[in-house]
Amino acid sequence: SYELTQPPSVSVSPGQTARITCSGDALPKQYAYWYQQKPGQAPILVIYKDSERPSGIPERLSGSSSGTRITLTISGVQAEDEADYYCQSVDGSGSFVVFGGGTKLTVL
Amino acid sequence: EEQLVQSGAEVKKPGESLKISCKGSGYTFTSYWIGWVRQMPGKGLEWMGIIYPGDSDTRYSPSFQGQVTISADKSTSTAYLQWSSLKASDTAMYYCARGYCGSGGNCYFDYWGQGTLVTVSS
């Protein structure tokens, strides 16, 4: 079965830049998406189609794609950015939705 | 305002059946997909399946095929997730989410319900 691989955790100090990666063989041909989930809350979409930002999402969150890897970049990290982040895409044939295992972002 | 409102928390015994719901409002219910996502305690998100209420086209993750049934009622703008025989391992938070699927089947979820906590314990 198709898998998306994320690092379990990333830690940064306030004001620094956090980069969360997600790897998958089908990413060169399928769009990817990022969700933010804070404790006790439902996930929210923060990036769609690799790099587009929904309305209301701060500009400091951005997405990029290169080959089999996508990256969520959070510039000028703030305490409120501390959350779990999940990438999501579909398999190569577009038949099945897949989530990455999630990355816990800790703001030191 | 687009919104998905899910039914309340459930406590069930192993072997019992259950049907939870997700009611959409603020948009044309039949024009978007509804997906279901499981989150076991302390774990990540798992895609279970997706339904297009417009024509009831339904797709399941191989991990959940045969374990649950996804359905939708256009007349009430409500999607459902049901089990015929619950197991303790079904204990989890279940989210519904509005799905946008482009050409080629690439789907993502732009609005999420608040979640339904299902606890299965004897």
Side-chain angles (χ1 to χ4, degrees):
Chain A
S1 63
Y2 182 55
E3 294 183 353
L4 295 174
T5 302
Q6 299 180 233
S9 63
V10 169
S11 300
V12 295
S13 298
Q16 290 189 328
T17 296
R19 293 180 178 86
I20 300 172
T21 60
C22 172
S23 299
D25 290 341
L27 291 179
K29 54 183 177 181
Q30 298 288 4
Y31 282 126
Y33 311 90
W34 289 97
Y35 302 87
Q36 177 193 71
Q37 186 182 34
K38 295 183 178 180
Q41 298 183 18
I44 63 170
L45 179 70
V46 295
I47 295 289
Y48 67 101
K49 291 185 178 180
D50 292 347
S51 60
E52 301 294 320
R53 208 171 29 249
S55 61
I57 301 302
E59 290 185 9
R60 64 177 184 276
L61 275 71
S62 63
S64 61
S65 174
S66 179
T68 60
R69 176 179 288 192
I70 57 168
T71 302
L72 173 68
T73 300
I74 308 174
S75 304
V77 166
Q78 301 180 7
E80 67 190 52
D81 298 323
E82 187 163 282
D84 293 324
Y85 292 85
Y86 295 90
C87 61
Q88 178 249 303
S89 187
V90 297
D91 69 310
S93 65
S95 300
F96 305 115
V97 171
V98 180
F99 286 97
T103 298
K104 181 176 182 60
L105 175 65
T106 299
V107 181
L108 300 172
Chain B
E1 177 194 2
E2 297 90 338
Q3 198 172 12
L4 294 172
V5 178
Q6 299 185 229
S7 49
E10 301 275 0
V11 179
K12 292 288 189 178
K13 290 181 165 50
E16 292 186 331
S17 62
L18 176 64
K19 191 173 189 178
I20 63 175
S21 67
C22 168
K23 183 173 177 61
S25 63
Y27 73 97
T28 302
F29 186 72
T30 52
S31 296
Y32 293 83
W33 295 76
I34 293 285
W36 287 94
V37 176
R38 183 176 79 173
Q39 187 167 39
M40 300 178 75
K43 302 299 183 182
L45 305 176
E46 299 175 89
W47 177 69
M48 302 176 72
I50 196 167
I51 187 168
Y52 189 72
D55 60 8
S56 294
D57 182 12
T58 308
R59 304 169 192 177
Y60 292 92
S61 161
S63 299
F64 292 94
Q65 178 83 47
Q67 307 305 308
V68 297
T69 301
I70 294 171
S71 60
D73 182 344
K74 290 190 289 189
S75 68
T76 59
S77 299
T78 303
Y80 299 95
L81 177 65
Q82 67 180 82
W83 295 259
S84 59
S85 181
L86 287 160
K87 303 183 285 286
S89 57
D90 293 318
T91 294
M93 180 71 81
Y94 293 88
Y95 293 101
C96 67
R98 191 180 81 165
Y100 179 82
C101 298
S103 58
N106 199 301
C107 300
Y108 67 97
F109 304 104
D110 57 358
Y111 290 93
W112 292 65
Q114 82 279 18
T116 296
L117 181 62
V118 174
T119 303
V120 184
S121 175
S122 55

